[in-house]
C-alpha cells in the first residue's frame, strides 16, 4: 500500500463531493421558492405573456441542469463545477427580468390600479434568487477547489 | 478479543416451539468455534441470540465476564457476517465498509485509515470504488467481512457465509477466513451445515441436532471418537456405515457378517455380551482383505483419483467403502473386506460405548 501523505485528499479518492451536491440541491429548493412566489400571484393580466412561458421553461431547465451538475460535482467533475457557477450567475441576472418588471408595473383590477408586485414580495424574490445563486456558485467553487486538490494528489500518487 | 460463556441457554418461540435446549459452552479468547448440524437444528438461532437479534428465553450469555443477556445488540460489540452479504446496493465498497463507523460519528480520517487497512487485508483495495453489483460473490462476502473488521469487534459471528458461493470460490474464501482468524486472533463463531468447513476451520466444533448439543470437541475428537450415532453419521464424508448386531463369544455378530473383536474391544464390550449394539465403520476403515469377513457385492465404483469409493451391498444392506487405491470393480463383483477401526454404540441410547 502506498504511504498516505494527505489523508484528507486520499479520502476524496473514495468519497463523493457531497458538500457541492448538497449546496446544488438547496439551490434548486430556493429557485422553487422563487417561482412559487411569482406564480401564485394573480394580478390582472400582467403575467399572461410569453415572458412567463419562457420563465416556466427556464425553471424546468434550471432544475434539470443543476441536478445533473450536482451528480457531476459529486464525482469531482471540473466541467460540471463550471456549469454550476454559470447557472448560479444566471440566477442573479434573473432579478432584472420578471421581478423588476413586475415591481415597476401597475395592473388594473376591477377598474382599480394596483401595483403588480409589492416591495415585500420583490425583496423575497430577490432573496430567493440570490440565495439560489450563492449556493450554486459556492457548490461550483468548492467543486473546482476539491477537484483540483484531488487531481494534484493523484498526480503525486502516480509519481510515487 | 473476548471470551464467551453460554450458560443453560434456551430459546422458546412465542408459539411454544423450543429451538435450543440448555446450550452450554465456554469459549476461550481468540478461539474459532464452528456450530455444525443439519437445517433446523438451532445453530443459527444460537448465533442470533449471541448477536442479540433474538431474545434469550432463559440462561445467561457472558462476554468477558460481563452478563450481556439483556443487552441490546448494538451495545454488545459483536459483528455478524450473513449468508446473503447484506450489503447496501447503492453504496460503494468503501462506503459499505465505512458505514458503521460513520454512524458512530468517528473521525473521517480514522475511518479512512481503518477501511484502507481492512481492504488491504482482504485484497479489496482496487475494488473500493465499485458497487456491490460489480463484484463477484466471493468479493461481496469479503466486503461483508471487511465491514465487520473495521469495527474491531470483540467477537465475529459468521452465519453460513459461504453458502451462496460456488464450490471453487467456497474453498478459496474458506482459506481466507482461516487466514483472517490467524491474523486478527479474534474470537469467532461460525455456523455451517457443511462438515468440510467445520473440520477445516474450527479449533472446536459444536455438533447440534434438534436443538440439543450433541458433542463439543476438536475436529479430530469428533471424527475419531464421536459421542453418539448422530455425530458419527454427521461427521465424515461419505458417512459412517452402521450395522445392528450382538456381542457373542468375542465376536460382533450381525445378519450380514461376524467380526472378531480384539482384546481391548472385548474388554470394552464385556458388559454387552448377548445384548444388541450398533457397530459403526467409516468407509475409509473398510479395507480390502483376502481373509475378510464382509463379502461386499459392488453396485457402483467411483474413482476419485487417489482413492476409490465402492458402493455395494452386504446381503442387501447398503455399505460404502473407500479404498486407498485405484480400483476398477464392475457391478456384481464380490470383494472381501474387513473393518480395521470399529466404533460401538449402545442401541438404546445411541451413545458411544467407551
Amino acid at each position: 500500500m502506498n504511504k498516505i501523505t494527505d489523508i484528507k485528499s486520499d479520502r476524496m479518492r473514495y468519497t463523493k463531493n457531497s458538500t457541492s451536491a448538497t449546496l446544488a440541491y438547496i439551490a434548486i429548493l430556493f429557485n422553487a421558492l422563487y417561482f412559487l412566489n411569482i406564480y401564485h400571484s394573480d394580478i390582472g393580466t400582467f403575467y399572461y405573456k410569453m415572458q412567463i412561458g419562457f420563465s416556466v421553461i427556464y425553471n424546468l431547465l434550471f432544475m434539470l441542469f443543476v441536478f445533473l451538475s450536482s451528480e457531476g460535482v459529486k464525482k469531482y467533475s471540473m466541467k460540471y463545477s463550471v456549469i454550476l457557477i454559470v447557472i448560479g450567475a444566471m440566477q442573479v441576472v434573473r432579478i432584472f427580468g420578471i421581478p423588476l418588471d413586475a415591481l415597476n408595473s401597475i395592473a388594473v383590477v376591477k377598474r382599480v390600479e394596483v401595483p403588480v408586485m409589492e416591495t415585500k414580495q420583490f425583496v423575497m424574490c430577490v432573496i430567493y434568487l440570490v440565495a439560489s445563486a450563492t449556493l450554486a456558485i459556492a457548490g461550483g467553487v468548492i467543486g473546482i477547489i476539491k477537484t483540483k486538490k484531488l487531481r494534484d494528489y493523484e498526480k503525486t500518487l502516480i509519481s510515487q | 478479543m473476548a471470551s464467551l460463556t453460554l450458560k443453560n441457554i434456551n430459546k422458546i418461540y412465542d408459539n411454544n416451539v423450543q429451538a435450543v435446549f440448555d446450550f452450554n459452552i465456554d469459549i476461550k479468547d481468540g478461539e474459532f468455534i464452528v456450530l455444525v448440524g443439519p437445517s433446523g437444528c438451532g445453530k443459527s438461532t444460537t448465533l442470533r441470540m449471541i448477536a442479540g437479534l433474538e431474545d434469550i428465553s432463559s440462561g445467561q450469555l457472558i462476554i468477558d465476564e460481563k452478563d450481556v443477556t439483556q443487552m441490546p445488540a448494538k451495545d454488545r460489540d459483536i459483528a455478524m457476517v450473513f449468508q446473503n452479504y447484506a450489503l447496501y446496493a447503492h453504496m460503494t465498497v468503501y462506503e459499505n465498509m465505512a458505514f458503521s463507523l460513520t454512524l458512530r460519528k468517528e473521525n473521517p480520517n480514522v475511518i479512512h485509515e481503518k477501511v484502507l487497512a481492512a481492504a488491504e487485508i482482504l485484497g479489496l483495495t482496487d475494488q473500493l470504488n465499485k458497487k456491490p453489483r460489480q463484484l463477484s460473490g466471493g468479493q461481496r462476502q469479503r466486503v461483508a467481512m471487511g465491514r465487520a473488521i473495521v469495527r474491531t469487534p470483540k467477537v465475529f459471528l459468521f452465519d453460513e457465509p459461504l453458502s451462496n458461493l460456488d464450490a471453487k470460490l467456497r474453498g478459496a474464501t474458506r482459506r481466507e477466513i482461516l487466514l483472517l482468524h490467524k491474523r486478527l486472533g479474534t474470537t469467532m463463531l461460525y455456523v455451517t451445515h457443511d462438515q468440510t468447513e467445520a473440520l477445516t476451520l474450527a479449533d472446536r466444533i459444536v455438533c447440534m441436532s434438534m436443538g440439543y448439543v450433541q458433542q463439543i470437541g476438536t475436529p479430530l475428537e469428533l471424527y475419531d471418537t464421536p459421542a453418539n450415532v448422530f455425530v458419527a453419521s454427521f461427521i465424515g464424508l461419505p458417512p459412517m456405515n452402521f450395522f445392528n448386531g450382538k456381542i457373542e463369544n468375542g465376536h460382533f455378530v450381525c445378519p450380514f457378517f461376524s467380526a472378531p473383536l480384539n482384546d481391548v474391544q472385548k474388554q470394552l464390550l464385556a458388559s454387552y455380551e448377548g445384548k444388541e449394539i450398533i457397530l459403526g465403520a467409516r468407509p475409509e476403515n473398510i479395507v480390502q482383505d483376502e481373509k475378510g469377513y464382509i463379502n461386499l457385492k459392488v453396485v457402483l465404483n467411483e474413482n476419485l483419483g487417489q482413492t476409490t469409493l465402492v458402493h455395494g451391498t452386504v446381503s442387501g444392506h447398503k455399505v460404502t467403502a473407500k479404498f486407498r487405491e485405484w480400483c476398477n470393480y464392475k457391478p456384481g463383483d464380490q470383494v472381501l473386506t474387513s473393518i480395521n477401526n470399529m466404533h460401538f454404540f449402545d442401541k438404546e441410547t445411541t451413545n458411544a460405548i467407551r
Side-chain angles (χ1 to χ4, degrees):
Chain A
M1 193 167 71
N2 288 328
K3 197 184 167 198
I4 300 169
T5 49
D6 179 357
I7 291 184
K8 219 170 170 183
S9 301
D10 198 65
R11 259 175 47 211
M12 288 198 290
R13 293 165 68 207
Y14 309 107
T15 52
K16 293 169 189 151
N17 178 6
S18 51
T19 313
S20 291
T22 308
L23 290 173
Y25 296 143
I26 304 172
I28 294 175
L29 179 76
F30 274 104
N31 184 65
L33 289 173
Y34 158 72
F35 67 66
L36 286 173
N37 193 319
I38 291 283
Y39 297 159
H40 88 270
S41 297
D42 186 16
I43 308 293
T45 57
F46 176 80
Y47 286 114
Y48 300 166
K49 300 175 190 167
M50 283 296 278
Q51 191 186 19
I52 209 81
F54 287 124
S55 166
V56 171
I57 292 166
Y58 184 84
N59 281 322
L60 291 172
L61 290 175
F62 172 86
M63 288 190 288
L64 175 67
F65 278 96
V66 174
F67 178 74
L68 289 176
S69 302
S70 74
E71 289 300 307
V73 291
K74 234 187 229 179
K75 293 172 187 165
Y76 301 96
S77 161
M78 192 64 92
K79 183 177 79 183
Y80 281 108
S81 298
V82 173
I83 290 175
L84 209 49
I85 291 170
V86 172
I87 296 174
M90 290 292 288
Q91 290 293 82
V92 179
V93 177
R94 291 180 76 189
I95 295 169
F96 302 99
I98 292 178
L100 201 60
D101 194 15
L103 179 70
N104 297 325
S105 298
I106 299 290
V108 179
V109 181
K110 292 179 184 171
R111 295 179 187 173
V112 179
E113 288 188 341
V114 289
V116 173
M117 186 178 277
E118 300 283 355
T119 312
K120 190 182 162 192
Q121 191 186 359
F122 175 76
V123 170
M124 290 311 293
C125 284
V126 171
I127 289 172
Y128 292 146
L129 282 173
V130 169
S132 175
T134 310
L135 290 162
I137 292 168
V141 171
I142 291 171
I144 288 171
I145 294 168
K146 283 193 169 184
T147 306
K148 200 171 172 304
K149 198 174 175 188
L150 177 62
R151 286 185 184 170
D152 290 344
Y153 180 70
E154 282 174 338
K155 273 180 200 163
T156 63
L157 283 184
I158 293 164
S159 65
Q160 268 180 19
Chain B
M1 292 202 285
S3 60
L4 228 83
T5 304
L6 283 81
K7 275 187 193 169
N8 303 316
I9 297 281
N10 285 279
K11 177 64 190 177
I12 305 167
Y13 286 105
D14 293 341
N15 57 3
N16 283 330
V17 171
Q18 186 154 3
V20 179
F21 297 82
D22 278 332
F23 195 111
N24 285 289
I25 189 172
D26 278 317
I27 300 169
K28 283 177 246 148
D29 193 3
E31 208 172 3
F32 200 128
I33 297 290
V34 176
L35 302 176
V36 70
S39 297
C41 71
K43 54 191 189 302
S44 287
T45 307
T46 306
L47 203 73
R48 292 172 65 82
M49 282 194 285
I50 295 170
L53 302 176
E54 298 267 9
D55 291 333
I56 295 170
S57 305
S58 68
Q60 263 187 312
L61 171 64
I62 297 162
I63 299 175
D64 269 347
E65 295 171 12
K66 189 178 174 188
D67 190 338
V68 298
T69 314
Q70 303 300 330
M71 192 183 273
K74 67 182 173 61
D75 299 328
R76 292 189 187 187
D77 201 7
I78 285 174
M80 191 157 173
V81 178
F82 297 91
Q83 177 182 345
N84 59 1
Y85 323 125
L87 300 176
Y88 298 105
H90 65 289
M91 290 185 186
T92 61
V93 169
Y94 181 95
E95 288 163 344
N96 263 289
M97 287 168 73
F99 187 64
S100 61
L101 302 179
T102 311
L103 284 184
R104 279 193 201 167
K105 299 192 188 330
E106 280 202 26
N107 182 326
N109 291 346
V110 175
I111 295 175
H112 183 67
E113 284 179 340
K114 284 185 176 176
V115 171
L116 288 195
E120 178 82 4
I121 290 170
L122 296 163
L124 287 169
T125 309
D126 295 337
Q127 319 293 338
L128 285 172
N129 277 325
K130 289 185 180 169
K131 295 268 174 73
R133 65 172 179 274
Q134 296 170 287
L135 304 176
S136 69
Q139 286 171 326
R140 284 181 208 181
Q141 195 53 273
R142 275 189 274 158
V143 177
M145 285 193 274
R147 204 170 46 178
I149 290 170
V150 292
R151 289 180 48 201
T152 51
K154 285 181 180 172
V155 181
F156 280 101
L157 306 178
F158 294 90
D159 191 2
E160 306 208 26
L162 309 183
S163 298
N164 285 358
L165 308 181
D166 62 58
K168 198 176 171 187
L169 210 52
R170 202 155 50 223
T173 314
R174 193 179 67 218
R175 285 186 285 278
E176 278 172 21
I177 291 174
L178 197 57
L179 290 172
L180 188 70
H181 178 246
K182 294 206 186 306
R183 189 163 178 170
L184 301 176
T186 315
T187 312
M188 291 185 177
L189 268 89
Y190 187 104
V191 159
T192 181
H193 58 261
D194 183 338
Q195 54 158 307
T196 314
E197 283 174 28
L199 291 168
T200 51
L201 290 172
D203 290 328
R204 279 193 297 159
I205 295 174
V206 179
C207 188
M208 293 182 75
S209 172
M210 312 278 283
Y212 290 94
V213 172
Q214 301 293 322
Q215 187 175 2
I216 300 174
T218 63
L220 192 63
E221 279 168 359
L222 265 74
Y223 180 80
D224 268 353
T225 52
N228 53 36
V229 169
F230 175 80
V231 178
S233 62
F234 196 81
I235 302 292
L237 196 70
M240 191 182 269
N241 299 290
F242 294 100
F243 305 95
N244 291 324
K246 280 183 181 175
I247 299 300
E248 285 177 2
N249 303 323
H251 283 71
F252 172 82
V253 182
C254 73
F256 322 116
F257 59 84
S258 173
L261 304 176
N262 62 30
D263 290 342
V264 177
Q265 290 166 336
K266 279 178 194 167
Q267 201 177 350
L268 177 73
L269 299 167
S271 61
Y272 282 87
E273 184 69 27
K275 289 183 188 169
E276 289 218 358
I277 63 162
I278 300 168
L279 165 68
R282 293 206 180 277
E284 48 273 35
N285 294 138
I286 298 177
V287 293
Q288 297 174 89
D289 183 356
E290 285 177 2
K291 294 175 187 170
Y293 43 83
I294 303 173
N295 191 1
L296 183 67
K297 188 178 177 186
V298 177
V299 174
L300 187 68
N301 185 92
E302 286 184 298
N303 290 115
L304 303 173
Q306 284 188 321
T307 58
T308 305
L309 271 186
V310 177
H311 303 274
T313 56
V314 181
S315 305
H317 185 81
K318 283 183 182 172
V319 173
T320 303
K322 191 176 185 180
F323 299 142
R324 287 188 177 185
E325 57 264 35
W326 183 279
C327 303
N328 282 313
Y329 293 116
K330 292 181 178 58
D333 283 354
Q334 306 271 343
V335 189
L336 278 178
T337 60
S338 59
I339 304 167
N340 65 8
N341 186 15
M342 298 178 187
H343 300 266
F344 299 101
F345 302 94
D346 187 298
K347 197 174 179 192
E348 278 180 24
T349 63
T350 75
N351 287 335
I353 300 168
R354 285 175 190 158

